[in-house]
Amino acid sequence: MASADNGIDEARARITECLSRGSTTLDLSGLGLTAVPEEVRELTRLIQLEVQSNRLHALPEWIGDLTRLEFLSADHNALVAVPESIGRLTELRALGLDFNKLVAVPDSLGNLTRLKDLRLYGNRLSHLPETLRNLTELTVLALGENQLESLPAWFTDLTSLETVWLSVNFLTALPEDIGRLVRLRRLELSANSLSELPRSLGALRELTVLGLHDNPLTSPPPEVVAAGTQAVVTFLAETQADPVRQWSSKVVVVGEGRVGKTSLLRALRNEAHNPNEDSTHGLTVGTLDMPHPHPPAGEDVTMRLSTWDFGGQEIYHATHQFFLTDRSLFLLLWDAQIGWEGSKLHYWLDMIKARAPQAPVVLVATHLGPRPPDLPLDELQETYPGLIVESLSADSASGVGVEQVREVIRQQVACLPLMGVTWPRTWLRAADAVRASVNKHITPEGLNELLATAGVREPSHQASLTAALHSLGDLLYYPDDEELCDLVVLRPQWLTAYISRVLDSEDVLNEGGVFHHSFGATLWQDVERSMRRHLIRMMENFDLSYRTEDQTASLVVELLPWNPPPYQDEWNSPERLGQRELRLRYRLHTVPPGIPTWFIAREHRFSTPVRWRSGALLKHPDGVHAALVTVDRHAKTAELRVRGSYPHDFFAVLKDGFEQTLQRYPGLDITRLVPCPYRYPDGRACAHEFRHEQLRARLDRRPPLETIECPEHLENVEVAFLLQGIERPAADRSEQMTRQVLERLDRMEIIGQRRHAEVRDGIEQARAEVSAMVAEQQRGFLALLRREQSQQEAICPSVVWVRRVSRRAAGHRLRPGDVFQLHLCCEAPGEWHLLEGAEPYELPANSKFTKVVLPYVHQSLKVLKYVVPVFGAAVGAVSEDLSKVMKDDLELMKALLDALPDETRRQLSDRESRSTVLATDHAEFRQMYALLKQLDPEERWAGLNKVVTPEGPTYWLCREHARFYQQGVLGAGTGHEAVRLPSQPGGPGALSRQQT
């Protein structure tokens, strides 16, 4: 932001220019202004006025004199009030007041009846004036991050609304008739206190995005919410038509092996005791019916409980975690004969807290002896507050205490949040039909027939119900997985039983965890060969294994040896020790199953032979960067370290993957620690570690606290330096670093022509550094563009390359009659490239090209301009002609932008500098999608594949790069398959893109 003096001078210069030209647009954003200059009052012809990102505490009363204004933006200021005179701006179409300090807005806003876009996000509003009901033409209304506790009854009169932001408020309910807003496409409700959605919301057929994260919802149940917007809408529509209450829930029985879990369940069902009961391998699912202790008046309610009996052997714990869910009752059994410590109560309570932190737990002592069972209950309840609801004892053989356990279960499950929740009658009937099916697995077509017979016939409703049943754990179905999309598992316990055979296999254990697929002929001899392939893919889907490069075996990560193979010589080689290193440590309240083995499987594409049960050495395919992940179960810590010439991007990828793994445990207590980089004169490293959240908080202060004292060596350290690499750098800083390395690379390549070996080595290092920097930029660009998009909403590719159809000698000016090509690019971070053989879209140089394509090009050009240097470094001299063509394309894009009017370029630059989280953000992307959709109605997108990476982000990739994320295709250092670039019009033939 400019200084106040410089800002006012610049503002007056812009006002003078506006007046002399008779312009209808004035942009005074980002100038550090504390007041709107009085001279603006004279610009009575203004249609658009932008004063955002200043230091304004008020808008002037005379603002109402600018009666021709159609667009007024005052976002990101310090406004505490808006003058009543704003009501005179009756031509306004858009009013932006986001991120100010408004506690109220004037009644006169109701006069702005032509308003289509009203943004009040990030203020302090607790109520809305009734006059706003007059704004019946509103299509966008942003009210997120305020203090609203309810919405007024007239809210649903605004029937033109298409996008509404209400996230981060205090809403406990929505208007019952919200279904009147039939044009709604996006409704953001995250981070409120909603426990129930109105059934009329099912009438919103146009709704494609419904944000519900961080609400205590029971209706629709969380499993339906997890299935997506379409599932929620269809669920509510069906519920409105024919509702019925569902009296069912889940009881999960856990504890060490041989503790008597299966025997207790038999006793609770009044079945005969079996003293020779086999130990449970994997998972057994059964039922237990009980009368409701407090049924609704006049009703006789039977609760149908699903009992999940988990094998206690440690090897199964990683598979169990996928079925341990909140909103269940846990029975944690312990053996009174070996004591509560020997029964590992702390371990099991830690697991439940990490995986299902809201679930009630009943402790049950078994194998009773002459002395009553004893345990420090008060201490355990203090350590795990709110978790343990009862402590009992029971003997399954004699029946002593079983009735008391049964009664406690009856009382507790009746209070579970989803007991008695309303479902559509047809959905409940269909769900019961699925649960009653005798089949262990079925085809998707067979499942749809089953659902249709039960009354759910609409394909979209079938898909929504299937997704909900998948989230409930009643079935397993992965429609987006090309290897699993033709199989629906109706009995998860059947699947875990077959997986358990692999985990129990001595042959696999003796092979160091390598499951040769030929072993399946013995371990899975009772299923057909095609089903064996499905079982292997299911293990991969659960991050329990990954395929080797030759596709003939899988590495079962839960069977890796505990002792690490020798790796110190390689990790601590002089070459590695001389590289830059990034480190981040995690302190956990417990190390749950799957940490780090799930992560090792998830990041298999970077795998090396150096891996063990609690760690792995990983390598980037560039051969320069390496990583070490280790877990210390005794100290309850995990550490991620990355070394290389520019480790930042590889570190960010692995950090995202590790964080994604930790997210499977929503109740896990995590402290992130950044090691102090200081070294004492004798070379010893400082032992202090800074808390990551504390460092972030210091930079988030206004003004930021830019240094922090290390309590060990008592000197200040720059916070930005500590976070370098752990947090992504600002775009301008990343660009500056990339430019510096490219300049260094150019100098080295000139010297390198003399064939000095050490210079050639330096060139390779510099090239790897540039590639890592560019990958980081490209990854950051896509993350910023899609920060408000879920995986499902990455609706089309985001990287567009512009090329003029004719290359006649005409320079780079925009000429009447020009036709341009829009090429979609593969979005592989660090390796963006054009596509061979893909037909580009053609567009004349019309208003759409100017208003849609060029603003989007402006946004992405900073990242696109580094495609050619990296491409050139990769393919060498043979690419000179092609590189020249690509450079010419980039010069064309830049020249087209430079030729835009000054006002337009200034607006684009300002738009790029803003940082906000509203629906109005990413307008360029949404407009570009609409244009591409018009050019490509079938959404073929040049053959690009939509790939959800193991770390979470979604990219549109060419076939070759998509394979990089597939199981077993690539390992560290193998490089990518050759990716061919397209032939250029009138230029050389297609050229191969070789590995550096």
Side-chain angles (χ1 to χ4, degrees), residues 218-221 235 244-247 417-423:
T218 57
S219 179
F235 177 92
V244 63
R245 299 182 75 177
Q246 177 176 250
W247 301 99
L418 298 186
M419 181 60 71
V421 71
T422 301
W423 270 57

Side-chain angles (χ1 to χ4, degrees), residues 220-228 231 325-327 418 423 464 467-469 471-473:
E223 291 77 15
V224 174
V225 174
T325 57
D326 254 337
R327 303 171 307 281
L418 298 186
W423 270 57
S464 297
L469 293 175
S471 295
L472 276 166

Side-chain angles (χ1 to χ4, degrees), residues 55-67:
R55 302 169 186 167
L56 305 177
H57 289 275
L59 293 176
E61 187 67 32
W62 52 257
I63 197 78
D65 296 342
L66 306 178
T67 53

Side-chain angles (χ1 to χ4, degrees), residues 361-543:
V361 179
V362 175
L363 303 180
V364 182
T366 60
H367 299 166
L368 306 181
R371 293 187 303 169
D374 187 29
L375 80 167
L377 182 60
D378 290 346
E379 177 186 315
L380 289 172
Q381 288 180 322
E382 184 178 347
T383 305
Y384 304 95
L387 203 63
I388 303 170
V389 296
E390 193 69 72
S391 179
L392 308 169
S393 58
D395 186 273
S396 302
S398 66
V400 173
V402 172
E403 185 57 40
Q404 186 182 7
V405 173
R406 184 183 290 113
E407 181 60 23
V408 167
I409 292 174
R410 195 165 77 100
Q411 296 292 335
Q412 288 294 329
V413 295
C415 298
L416 290 175
L418 298 186
M419 181 60 71
V421 71
T422 301
W423 270 57
R425 188 180 302 276
T426 52
W427 278 39
L428 184 57
R429 188 187 306 132
D432 287 340
V434 169
R435 293 160 183 157
S437 174
V438 297
N439 296 316
K440 296 179 177 63
H441 53 84
I442 196 172
T443 64
E445 295 76 18
L447 175 64
N448 288 337
E449 284 183 28
L450 184 63
L451 299 180
T453 302
V456 181
R457 299 181 179 86
E458 285 287 333
S460 63
H461 292 202
Q462 292 174 343
S464 297
L465 177 55
T466 300
L469 293 175
H470 173 91
S471 295
L472 276 166
D474 286 313
L475 56 81
L476 295 172
Y477 180 45
Y478 302 95
D480 296 326
D481 189 307
E482 62 181 19
E483 294 185 68
L484 295 177
C485 61
D486 58 349
L487 176 76
V488 183
V489 176
L490 300 181
R491 291 287 179 273
Q493 66 269 32
W494 168 82
L495 173 66
T496 58
Y498 278 90
I499 292 176
S500 295
R501 294 184 189 179
V502 177
L503 299 178
D504 289 336
S505 170
E506 289 290 333
D507 290 335
V508 178
L509 185 62
N510 292 336
E511 289 286 327
V514 176
F515 168 55
H516 296 284
H517 295 169
S518 58
F519 291 172
T522 302
L523 294 175
W524 297 332
Q525 58 183 324
D526 51 342
V527 296
E528 59 271 22
R529 186 185 297 272
S530 61
M531 183 57 63
R532 295 173 197 165
R533 291 197 297 272
H534 281 297
L535 293 173
I536 291 170
R537 182 69 189 101
M538 280 290 189
M539 290 175 62
E540 296 165 356
N541 208 60
F542 282 175
D543 285 339

Side-chain angles (χ1 to χ4, degrees), residues 406-696:
R406 184 183 290 113
E407 181 60 23
V408 167
I409 292 174
R410 195 165 77 100
Q411 296 292 335
Q412 288 294 329
V413 295
C415 298
L416 290 175
L418 298 186
M419 181 60 71
V421 71
T422 301
W423 270 57
R425 188 180 302 276
T426 52
W427 278 39
L428 184 57
R429 188 187 306 132
D432 287 340
V434 169
R435 293 160 183 157
S437 174
V438 297
N439 296 316
K440 296 179 177 63
H441 53 84
I442 196 172
T443 64
E445 295 76 18
L447 175 64
N448 288 337
E449 284 183 28
L450 184 63
L451 299 180
T453 302
V456 181
R457 299 181 179 86
E458 285 287 333
S460 63
H461 292 202
Q462 292 174 343
S464 297
L465 177 55
T466 300
L469 293 175
H470 173 91
S471 295
L472 276 166
D474 286 313
L475 56 81
L476 295 172
Y477 180 45
Y478 302 95
D480 296 326
D481 189 307
E482 62 181 19
E483 294 185 68
L484 295 177
C485 61
D486 58 349
L487 176 76
V488 183
V489 176
L490 300 181
R491 291 287 179 273
Q493 66 269 32
W494 168 82
L495 173 66
T496 58
Y498 278 90
I499 292 176
S500 295
R501 294 184 189 179
V502 177
L503 299 178
D504 289 336
S505 170
E506 289 290 333
D507 290 335
V508 178
L509 185 62
N510 292 336
E511 289 286 327
V514 176
F515 168 55
H516 296 284
H517 295 169
S518 58
F519 291 172
T522 302
L523 294 175
W524 297 332
Q525 58 183 324
D526 51 342
V527 296
E528 59 271 22
R529 186 185 297 272
S530 61
M531 183 57 63
R532 295 173 197 165
R533 291 197 297 272
H534 281 297
L535 293 173
I536 291 170
R537 182 69 189 101
M538 280 290 189
M539 290 175 62
E540 296 165 356
N541 208 60
F542 282 175
D543 285 339
L544 296 175
S545 67
Y546 62 90
R547 265 174 274 184
T548 55
E549 293 178 36
D550 60 8
Q551 304 284 294
T552 64
S554 297
L555 182 73
V556 182
V557 288
E558 293 301 323
L559 293 177
L560 286 170
W562 282 108
N563 287 328
Y567 70 90
Q568 294 291 353
D569 287 347
E570 181 175 0
W571 178 247
N572 291 325
S573 66
E575 177 191 359
R576 288 280 175 224
L577 289 175
Q579 294 175 325
R580 284 185 274 185
E581 181 179 73
L582 292 177
R583 294 172 59 197
L584 185 63
R585 274 167 44 88
Y586 298 82
R587 186 183 298 138
L588 314 172
H589 83 265
T590 186
V591 179
I595 309 294
T597 46
W598 288 339
F599 171 76
I600 294 171
R602 181 172 286 262
E603 304 302 327
H604 68 89
R605 64 193 191 278
F606 305 120
S607 180
T608 74
V610 182
R611 60 227 165 181
W612 63 103
R613 191 80 65 90
S614 57
L617 182 65
L618 307 172
K619 286 187 178 179
H620 193 278
D622 63 12
V624 174
H625 295 86
L628 182 68
V629 59
T630 54
V631 169
D632 187 330
R633 294 176 182 275
H634 177 71
K636 299 180 181 178
T637 60
E639 184 172 47
L640 177 61
R641 306 169 70 179
V642 178
R643 291 175 179 170
S645 58
Y646 187 80
H648 303 62
D649 184 65
F650 193 29
F651 182 89
V653 172
L654 296 179
K655 176 174 171 280
D656 287 348
F658 198 75
E659 295 281 353
Q660 190 90 350
T661 306
L662 294 176
Q663 285 176 16
R664 291 179 176 175
Y665 293 96
L668 190 62
D669 294 335
I670 306 170
T671 303
R672 294 165 182 83
L673 302 166
V674 180
C676 178
Y678 181 81
R679 286 194 174 272
Y680 292 99
D682 61 3
R684 289 181 299 114
C686 178
H688 182 68
E689 296 174 323
F690 298 96
R691 289 174 57 196
H692 176 263
E693 63 181 23
Q694 183 185 47
L695 298 175
R696 278 279 0 138

Side-chain angles (χ1 to χ4, degrees), residues 21 41 52 89 95 98 161 164 190 221 344 426 481 506 518 521 537 593 642 645 714 736 850 869 910 943 959 978:
R21 291 190 175 188
R41 189 174 189 174
Q52 67 266 24
L89 305 180
L95 175 59
D98 297 330
L161 282 173
V164 174
S190 298
K344 300 183 180 177
T426 52
D481 189 307
E506 289 290 333
S518 58
R537 182 69 189 101
V642 178
S645 58
L714 304 178
Q736 177 188 359
T850 305
D910 173 63
R959 184 180 62 185

